Amino acid sequence: LSLKALALSLALTFQTTGDKKKMKKSDCGEWQWSVCVPTSGDCGLGTREGTRSGIECKQTMKTQRCKIPCNWKKQFGAECKYQFQAWGECDLNTALKTRTGNLKRALHNADCQKTVTISKPCGKLIKPKPQGKIFF
């Protein structure tokens, strides 16, 4: 065997060995994660479950620690953070004011809406005071 033939043989051996490793890894699907479930209450430290498919995968399930920030608005998903605009004017027909929030951050590839709108009561409506009594 010549030196060139030996080098070529070794290169092919390493290449096919490397391909086998890549094949096994690519047989595994992407990790799919559940939502974070707090250990107690509705925020703070918790866990999430991860699963993936694949016949040759050594690991198809695992648990991961996670944290839900306690200051995030839970009504839009505990893993979605929004940047909100200022409150709008009061709608006198509904007695509500609204504001819109744009998605700022999503934890762990959470499925979050790009924009959300929230409403709240206007509070005390200030009616114009009548001008004093006019006498003729």
Side-chain angles (χ1 to χ4, degrees):
L1 221 51
S2 71
L3 206 47
K4 283 184 182 180
L6 181 62
L8 182 59
S9 174
L10 284 174
L12 288 173
T13 303
F14 287 124
Q15 185 178 1
T16 54
T17 308
D19 288 346
K20 284 181 183 176
K21 278 188 176 182
K22 288 180 185 176
M23 289 290 287
K24 283 187 179 180
K25 189 172 185 178
S26 67
D27 284 347
C28 298
E30 293 290 319
W31 284 104
Q32 301 295 315
W33 294 98
S34 68
V35 295
C36 185
V37 178
T39 305
S40 64
D42 64 352
C43 63
L45 295 175
T47 57
R48 71 174 64 253
E49 297 288 322
T51 59
R52 67 177 175 180
S53 60
I55 298 168
E56 296 293 323
C57 288
K58 290 182 180 178
Q59 187 177 19
T60 57
M61 291 184 71
K62 66 180 175 179
T63 302
Q64 183 182 71
R65 288 185 184 169
C66 58
K67 183 178 180 182
I68 296 176
C70 292
N71 62 343
W72 289 19
K73 299 242 181 258
K74 307 300 182 290
Q75 74 189 79
F76 305 116
E79 297 177 331
C80 306
K81 175 75 172 177
Y82 293 91
Q83 180 71 46
F84 285 91
Q85 300 169 349
W87 287 102
E89 294 294 317
C90 182
D91 181 343
L92 297 177
N93 295 326
T94 62
L96 296 173
K97 55 185 173 180
T98 61
R99 68 179 179 170
T100 303
N102 295 315
L103 183 63
K104 185 175 179 180
R105 184 172 169 212
L107 294 179
H108 305 286
N109 301 321
D111 186 21
C112 301
Q113 297 176 45
K114 297 289 182 198
T115 58
V116 293
T117 303
I118 57 174
S119 300
K120 73 175 185 177
C122 297
K124 293 182 181 179
L125 295 176
I126 301 171
K127 296 181 181 176
K129 292 182 181 179
Q131 299 298 325
K133 293 183 180 179
I134 300 175
F135 294 101
F136 292 99

